[in-house]
Amino acid sequence: MVVVIDPSGDLTISVTEYDDSIKVAQGQEKVVLQVVDFLVKRSVIVSNSEPLGALIALDLQYNAKPAAFQMKDLSTTSMEIWFRAFHDAMTPSSHIVKIDEMWKLAVHIILTSVDSISLLTAPQVAGNMYNFDTKLLYPWFEQWYAYHSTRPILGNLRWLLYPCWQYNHAAGFMLATKEAVYHKQLNAAKGRLRTKLHTLTFKPTEALLSATCNCKEKTAFQYIKALHDTGMWPLDREWTRLETHEILDRLGSFKYTPPRNACLRYCQKDYEATIQGTISLVRRYFDGLCLDCMDKSKSKTGDSDSDYWYHNELEENEWDHSCRESHGQPTWYFSFMGRKEDQKTYFKGKWVPVRAP
């Protein structure tokens, strides 16, 4: 099979892909799945990969007129995407590839099933072996993500955490990290959600402490009992066992009955609406991590964190200043990638102090 990447090409690269699903005994040759010949421009290949260019030059040195430069144990689909990226020759269907092919382009990992990850050997990933520049695939990944965003494979967003970071896809990375907090594990942000939920659910009982009525004790008991009846109280007991979204879902069953003859001023408040409002706030509290805030807080020369700390002097609705995706202060705070001592010093007052979210 021949694939023309550049009609004016002066080099044929023959890529052999093996069938890794067929196991062979040690020492035996792998079963060939397919061989594809790509017509490319040698100067373009050399300018995009010094290691590959050196191998091609060496091959020409020992073979005056080789039929084709051989590359083995590689994905033909992945190599076509790389060659098209080098030549700026993507087709309308170049982004329609499965998630395992996308991973081969991103890093030496492949999904062998929806619940399994296994390491690939270095030769199976050209980008890893030949030092290809992943930035060339940013536009391709934008199209890949848009095409697959409504398909079932993206229902499990943890598979996209690394690729979205590698391909600098801000929207996908934010969504995947939000999923990790509410459905999986991103411990720092998840711990903050727990604190927020604790604080808001205790507020009604704090208000009752200053009440002057004779029914406040019974009201406090009824309120805590209603929380307990959801199966999610005390929160600390359930927090390590369940995912955040499950806890919020179960708290949604909260039903409060005021004690008999409860006063209107303190004890017949709509505590069900209070809990529903708390659940809604906690669900919206964390937007996910922001690649742009992460980049701003990386250690650089001079005043390395000035751009990052500048965010903390902005108005409440400007935490996403100059970021590609909209977000609030919690996302800015947990996206910090600089030195922890700098962050601690900042919140102690070396810069304009603002309380952590």
Side-chain angles (χ1 to χ4, degrees):
M1 179 180 177
V2 177
V3 174
V4 177
I5 303 296
D6 188 333
S8 63
D10 54 5
L11 174 68
T12 297
I13 297 180
S14 183
V15 178
T16 301
E17 181 175 359
Y18 296 114
D19 191 341
D20 291 323
S21 66
I22 301 176
K23 304 300 181 184
V24 297
Q26 189 173 3
Q28 287 186 328
E29 288 190 11
K30 293 182 179 180
V31 177
V32 174
L33 182 63
Q34 64 177 334
V35 177
V36 179
D37 291 339
F38 296 97
L39 182 61
V40 298
K41 200 83 171 176
R42 180 187 173 191
S43 59
V44 174
I45 299 297
V46 171
S47 66
N48 281 280
S49 173
E50 187 176 341
L52 183 54
L55 290 173
I56 292 172
L58 189 64
D59 187 52
L60 291 172
Q61 181 181 341
Y62 288 96
N63 300 285
K65 290 185 178 181
F69 178 74
Q70 301 293 322
M71 298 179 74
K72 299 191 180 218
D73 205 2
L74 294 169
S75 162
T76 54
T77 300
S78 296
M79 288 308 303
E80 179 176 351
I81 292 170
W82 274 119
F83 291 151
R84 290 193 179 281
F86 293 162
H87 291 78
D88 194 19
M90 291 292 185
T91 69
S93 61
S94 293
H95 59 279
I96 305 177
V97 300
K98 294 180 179 179
I99 194 169
D100 60 335
E101 289 292 346
M102 180 273 292
W103 269 91
K104 290 177 186 178
L105 289 161
V107 70
H108 47 289
I109 292 176
I110 183 173
L111 305 182
T112 56
S113 72
V114 74
D115 292 315
S116 175
I117 293 180
S118 63
L119 291 179
L120 287 171
T121 56
Q124 291 173 294
V125 184
N128 182 60
M129 186 177 185
Y130 297 111
N131 197 29
F132 294 163
D133 185 1
T134 308
K135 290 180 181 178
L136 292 172
L137 296 182
Y138 286 2
W140 171 85
F141 186 74
E142 286 277 356
Q143 289 188 305
W144 183 93
Y145 188 92
Y147 175 79
H148 289 274
S149 60
T150 58
R151 285 162 173 74
I153 190 62
L154 295 197
N156 195 340
L157 291 172
R158 65 193 177 110
W159 300 126
L160 296 179
L161 271 170
Y162 181 82
C164 285
W165 173 80
Q166 177 75 302
Y167 293 121
N168 195 32
H169 194 280
F173 187 77
M174 186 172 286
L175 186 61
T177 49
K178 181 174 183 177
E179 174 90 353
V181 170
Y182 286 93
H183 291 264
K184 303 295 176 184
Q185 290 290 330
L186 195 59
N187 289 330
K190 187 179 179 183
R192 184 57 195 161
L193 291 179
R194 178 181 61 187
T195 303
K196 198 75 175 175
L197 191 56
H198 259 298
T199 301
L200 293 173
T201 50
F202 264 117
K203 267 193 172 182
T205 56
E206 289 178 10
L208 287 171
L209 291 175
S210 60
T212 57
C213 60
N214 294 325
C215 47
K216 60 184 179 181
E217 291 87 355
K218 290 182 179 179
T219 298
F221 173 82
Q222 287 292 95
Y223 177 77
I224 294 173
K225 183 179 182 300
L227 285 173
H228 184 270
D229 288 345
T230 67
M232 292 296 103
W233 198 266
L235 283 174
D236 283 339
R237 184 181 63 196
E238 305 298 335
W239 200 261
T240 56
R241 187 174 67 87
L242 298 174
E243 295 176 2
T244 305
H245 78 99
E246 291 179 291
I247 293 173
L248 296 176
D249 287 346
R250 296 187 189 186
L251 278 175
S253 66
F254 176 88
K255 298 293 180 185
Y256 170 76
T257 303
R260 184 177 300 178
N261 300 321
C263 68
L264 292 174
R265 183 176 182 184
Y266 297 111
C267 299
Q268 290 199 40
K269 291 188 176 181
D270 192 349
Y271 289 124
E272 291 181 12
T274 298
I275 292 299
Q276 292 301 324
T278 294
I279 292 170
S280 178
L281 189 151
V282 172
R283 286 194 195 279
R284 302 191 314 269
Y285 181 72
F286 181 64
D287 298 304
L289 297 179
C290 174
L291 284 174
D292 298 313
C293 286
M294 290 169 66
D295 182 65
K296 286 174 186 146
S297 63
K298 289 177 184 175
S299 294
K300 306 176 184 73
T301 58
D303 187 4
S304 61
D305 304 308
S306 58
D307 287 341
Y308 175 79
W309 298 121
Y310 169 68
H311 279 60
N312 214 22
E313 299 172 22
L314 299 172
E315 298 297 327
E316 184 176 351
N317 61 346
E318 291 185 310
W319 298 106
D320 50 6
H321 179 75
S322 77
C323 298
R324 285 170 287 175
E325 297 298 316
S326 300
H327 62 76
Q329 190 194 19
T331 286
W332 165 83
Y333 180 82
F334 289 111
S335 297
F336 178 76
M337 296 291 288
R339 297 177 295 273
K340 255 326 185 195
E341 57 268 27
D342 286 353
Q343 191 180 49
K344 290 178 181 177
T345 301
Y346 175 77
F347 283 109
K348 285 179 180 177
K350 182 176 180 181
W351 292 279
V352 178
V354 173
R355 183 167 53 87

